[in-house]
Amino acid sequence: GQNIDQPTEMTATEGAIVQINCTYQTSGFNGLFWYQQHAGEAPTFLSYNVLDGLEEKGRFSSFLSRSKGYSYLLLKELQMKDSASYLCAVKDDYKLSFGAGTTVTVRA
Amino acid sequence: DGGITQSPKYLFRKEGQNVTLSCEQNLNHDAMYWYRQDPGQGLRLIYYSQIVNDFQKGDIAEGYSVSREKKESFPLTVTSAQKNPTAFYLCASGPKKQNYGYTFGSGTRLTVV
């Protein structure tokens, strides 16, 4: 099975940087995904890592270390619209398993 | 435009009644999935299907049933055997390629009274 851990909540100021950590223990690994979910809405895809290292996409970056079972999502130049839940998910051969999500609150 | 459609958005049912949630996709994805989300919890997998006429139980399949008669459709029935059916239900689909995540529907919020 999968065991995926991430912090429950984080708060940051507009314009700042926030790093959301995710640790995982899995029986199979075919990639790690980050999703953004606003309250009451469907998750939307942010990033994908399958090899070690950093993937950058505009204000969002994601890092993976397979040997450590560790990933982080970095959100730069925070905006009020970034207030949302961020879900870490690991894919085995057939399906995605999700962490409980980290709620990020951006303050003015 | 291609996408995945869930209906209805809100659903109310009396306790003891079965209810079926619809999920349709026109993305030509092989795999489809049903997740349940409760407040403060992540998405938990109910059932998934990799191919037509085949499906597997996820982590919390008890009290639920599915069918996959067409590639485009993967309806979920919440039966009276499900002890706590009130939740936000999300359907997703994905291609067989490993580096693809899922596309999610907009969800159905089921309330059982």
Side-chain angles (χ1 to χ4, degrees):
Chain A
Q2 319 280 29
N3 186 25
I4 302 167
D5 291 314
Q6 50 182 129
T8 303
E9 294 180 340
M10 301 183 76
T11 301
T13 305
E14 198 173 12
I17 298 173
V18 69
Q19 178 175 314
I20 306 169
N21 296 325
C22 173
T23 58
Y24 63 90
Q25 294 173 309
T26 63
S27 55
F29 184 82
N30 276 298
L32 188 140
F33 295 78
W34 285 95
Y35 282 82
Q36 180 191 61
Q37 185 181 27
H38 286 97
E41 298 181 8
T44 54
F45 170 78
L46 287 178
S47 69
Y48 167 77
N49 295 72
V50 67
L51 300 176
D52 290 354
L54 188 68
E55 294 283 341
E56 297 189 82
K57 248 187 183 183
R59 295 189 298 115
F60 294 174
S61 303
S62 57
F63 171 83
L64 176 67
S65 169
R66 289 172 298 170
S67 62
K68 295 182 179 177
Y70 168 70
S71 173
Y72 67 73
L73 179 70
L74 195 68
L75 313 180
K76 293 176 274 190
E77 300 169 17
L78 279 173
Q79 302 175 9
M80 299 300 289
K81 67 178 181 180
D82 297 328
S83 291
S85 182
Y86 292 85
L87 311 177
C88 174
V90 176
K91 192 170 189 182
D92 61 17
D93 288 336
Y94 302 111
K95 60 190 185 299
L96 274 177
S97 296
F98 287 81
T102 299
T103 299
V104 172
T105 302
V106 180
R107 298 179 303 188
Chain B
D1 287 340
I4 182 165
T5 302
Q6 287 186 245
S7 61
K9 192 169 180 65
Y10 298 95
L11 189 56
F12 295 87
R13 278 295 182 268
K14 290 185 178 179
E15 196 171 334
Q17 289 182 335
N18 291 357
V19 60
T20 297
L21 281 57
S22 170
C23 179
E24 304 276 334
Q25 56 100 359
N26 60 3
L27 299 165
N28 199 32
H29 286 168
D30 293 296
M32 297 187 74
Y33 308 82
W34 274 106
Y35 287 89
R36 168 183 173 140
Q37 188 173 34
D38 296 281
Q41 296 194 38
L43 279 64
R44 292 185 289 167
L45 184 63
I46 305 172
Y47 268 98
Y48 64 102
S49 169
Q50 298 287 310
I51 194 170
V52 174
N53 291 322
D54 189 41
F55 48 82
Q56 286 75 42
K57 292 181 179 180
D59 301 317
I60 55 165
E62 185 175 351
Y64 300 98
S65 66
V66 293
S67 63
R68 187 85 188 275
E69 297 177 1
K70 298 186 300 181
K71 187 175 184 178
E72 301 79 18
S73 179
F74 192 41
L76 173 74
T77 297
V78 184
T79 75
S80 57
Q82 168 51 232
K83 300 302 179 189
N84 295 295
T86 294
F88 187 46
Y89 290 87
L90 285 159
C91 180
S93 68
K96 284 184 177 177
K97 290 183 181 180
Q98 294 290 359
N99 62 343
Y100 268 70
Y102 300 168
T103 300
F104 283 88
S106 56
T108 293
R109 189 166 297 279
L110 173 65
T111 302
V112 175
V113 296

